[in-house]
Amino acid sequence: MDLIGLVPSFGGLVWTVIAFVVALSIIVAIHEYGHYIVGRWTGIHAEVFSLGFGPILYSRVDSRGTRWQVAALPFGGYVKFLGDSNAASGKDGAAISTLSETERRRTMHGAPLWARSLTVAAGPVFNFASALLILTGLVLWSGVFSDDTLVGEVTPLPFEGQQLQPGDRILAINGTETPDLTRLVEVSNDLPAAGSVSYTVERDGQELAFDGPHPLPALASGVQPQSAAFDAGLLPGDVILAVDAVPVTVFSELPALVAGSEGRPLNLRVWRAGETFETTLTPRQMDLPKPEGGFETRWLIGLNGGLGFEPETRYPGVFEAVGIAGEQTWRIATTSLSGLWHMVAGKISSCNLRGPIGIAESSGAAASQGVETFIQFIALLSVAVGLMNLFPIPVLDGGHLVFHAYEAVAGKPPSDRALQVMMTVGLALLLSLMVFALTNDLFCP
């Protein structure tokens, strides 16, 4: 096993670990703070708020008697409430028996059912809320494409001749009118693969016609982390000129060439900022979600296509931005759940489940592509952590919520003996899942 091959090229093992620790620490802090603050609001006292496990590096006790600490192993965290025997909120019966009725009310196990349920649910809820907030901020910061056909920025392309310019409004392509951006994309998708097309644009108040590059060139508008293209050193803005000596003019020609390789290494000729070079990469089989639901398995190299220019950007209001971010958060959650279900059903490869090494690699790869991509990754990971904690497995928040639901129906909680057995089983199941994911990190392609 080549462990060095798992390290992204942007800075080596140390920087990959740093990116992973930063991302995980932010998400864990948000999750545990949800438990802490809602517990405080509902009258449950937190004795310890810990980021990490193991030897304590730093700690202080606040005015409410809560010890805030940072521990040496940054792979999680916990809030230990009054009356808990451990970080998993096990019941310390001996300690609780010595408390007064008023003090017992301040424990997780002596508080009303509604208070306990809200406190437990707050961790995942804060994960979802933080992802929504992060994505909303990114939308407000970066803006969204307007539906106008006005050219914002032009991407450099290996085209000899007249090209689009910032401020051009595209009126027609090959004689077909393009009244809005949606229609422009539709027309572009229907164009034949050709080195040039005819544009009619409005420039400086005048109508101008000229032949320019195809609006959907073989341009890498994005490079996916942990992909063959990423490992080969391709960058956003690269233009693919040929695959195995077969000339390529538009991005839509690439999928067939990649699929036809069936995993065989491909030689690419690439144009970057006026210079041409060659590189070799090997397509990987990936399970992709389909718009109508389900997944399909395809050979991919990890490049995203797009227009050869950036359309004009507009900046939405807060409510519209929240709506856009909400759709993104929902799509992340539903796609994750669908992927898990398809793995369990054996419809897609179980290698899609990754462990700490895979997450660390993703963290480093996202960080290498810039702050915005890294922040987006944190939002995605926050949703994943929130979903995982809602699974009905004892020791996870979802398991505790199941216990609370049983108590609401039966009128009493499960016995201490039953809880102990179920927590042990849940811990064993969770550890098994972690070992399986780690095995995938080490042995899956």
Side-chain angles (χ1 to χ4, degrees):
M1 178 65 195
D2 181 14
L3 291 177
I4 300 301
L6 295 173
V7 181
S9 60
F10 87 105
L13 179 59
V14 172
W15 298 111
T16 297
V17 171
I18 290 174
F20 173 58
V21 169
V22 168
L24 188 61
S25 296
I26 291 173
I27 293 165
V28 169
I30 291 170
H31 180 93
E32 297 303 334
Y33 187 77
H35 290 314
Y36 162 78
I37 194 63
V38 173
R40 199 180 88 184
W41 290 340
T42 58
I44 302 173
H45 174 63
E47 291 187 315
V48 179
F49 185 109
S50 180
L51 277 182
F53 300 95
I56 297 173
L57 302 178
Y58 168 82
S59 72
R60 72 173 183 87
V61 179
D62 65 15
S63 59
R64 293 185 174 85
T66 299
R67 179 178 296 278
W68 299 77
Q69 65 185 40
V70 177
L73 302 177
F75 302 116
Y78 63 90
V79 175
K80 182 180 179 294
F81 292 103
L82 180 65
D84 289 350
S85 62
N86 52 45
S89 293
K91 183 178 180 180
D92 188 346
I96 292 176
S97 66
T98 65
L99 300 177
S100 67
E101 192 64 33
T102 301
E103 291 173 324
R104 202 172 287 126
R105 166 59 181 83
R106 299 178 68 222
T107 70
M108 175 63 85
H109 307 278
L113 180 60
W114 65 267
R116 287 179 277 140
S117 298
L118 288 177
T119 300
V120 170
V125 169
F126 267 55
N127 280 131
F128 297 134
S130 65
L132 180 64
L133 183 63
I134 289 170
L135 293 173
T136 298
L138 288 174
V139 172
L140 291 172
W141 173 264
S142 302
V144 295
F145 292 147
S146 70
D147 203 33
D148 198 347
T149 60
L150 195 66
V151 177
E153 296 183 12
V154 178
T155 304
L157 296 172
F159 180 82
E160 296 182 3
Q162 192 167 0
Q163 300 191 36
L164 295 168
Q165 296 182 11
D168 285 352
R169 176 172 279 105
I170 302 175
L171 305 177
I173 300 177
N174 276 5
T176 302
E177 293 185 356
T178 54
D180 52 48
L181 185 62
T182 301
R183 182 58 181 153
L184 186 150
V185 173
E186 292 174 349
V187 171
S188 299
N189 283 324
D190 291 337
L191 292 173
S196 66
V197 299
S198 175
Y199 287 94
T200 303
V201 304
E202 179 185 320
R203 179 182 297 171
D204 298 327
Q206 297 184 342
E207 190 171 302
L208 177 68
F210 62 89
D211 290 338
H214 196 287
L216 293 174
L219 168 71
S221 63
V223 180
Q224 298 171 12
Q226 294 181 276
S227 66
F230 181 87
D231 292 344
L234 295 182
L235 301 174
D238 287 349
V239 179
I240 310 303
L241 301 178
V243 177
D244 281 349
V246 177
V248 175
T249 55
V250 297
F251 194 88
S252 59
E253 294 175 302
L254 289 174
L257 293 171
V258 173
S261 73
E262 297 184 344
R264 173 181 51 80
L266 296 173
N267 296 312
L268 273 60
R269 185 154 52 90
V270 183
W271 182 91
R272 177 187 295 169
E275 297 185 358
T276 301
F277 65 93
E278 294 191 359
T279 186
T280 300
L281 50 74
T282 303
R284 300 171 185 172
Q285 275 194 316
M286 302 289 291
D287 297 307
L288 298 180
K290 297 188 292 187
E292 65 275 13
F295 286 75
E296 63 176 341
T297 301
R298 293 167 51 191
W299 290 103
L300 299 174
I301 59 175
L303 294 180
N304 298 326
L307 292 167
F309 61 91
E310 290 286 334
E312 180 189 36
T313 298
R314 67 177 180 84
Y315 294 91
V318 173
F319 291 109
E320 184 183 358
V322 170
I324 295 171
E327 292 177 359
Q328 294 173 342
T329 303
W330 177 256
R331 184 165 59 251
I332 293 170
T334 54
T335 300
S336 299
L337 289 174
S338 176
L340 182 62
W341 168 251
H342 281 77
M343 276 190 283
V344 172
K347 295 182 179 179
I348 62 175
S349 171
S350 60
C351 284
N352 286 283
L353 181 65
R354 293 291 180 164
I357 295 177
I359 296 173
E361 184 183 11
S362 296
S363 301
S368 73
Q369 295 193 332
V371 174
E372 186 172 335
T373 301
F374 185 57
I375 293 174
Q376 288 176 333
F377 174 77
I378 290 175
L380 186 152
L381 192 57
S382 188
V383 173
V385 169
L387 283 174
M388 183 190 73
N389 273 277
L390 285 178
F391 290 164
I393 300 174
V395 311
L396 294 181
D397 296 331
H400 288 288
L401 290 174
V402 170
F403 297 154
H404 294 163
Y406 172 86
E407 182 177 346
V409 173
K412 62 178 181 179
S415 68
D416 291 345
R417 175 60 180 167
L419 282 175
Q420 184 178 6
V421 171
M422 286 187 286
M423 295 288 277
T424 301
V425 171
L427 182 60
L429 180 61
L430 189 60
L431 290 175
S432 299
L433 185 63
M434 292 175 63
V435 170
F436 179 74
L438 181 60
T439 303
N440 283 352
D441 287 342
L442 295 175
F443 299 108
C444 282

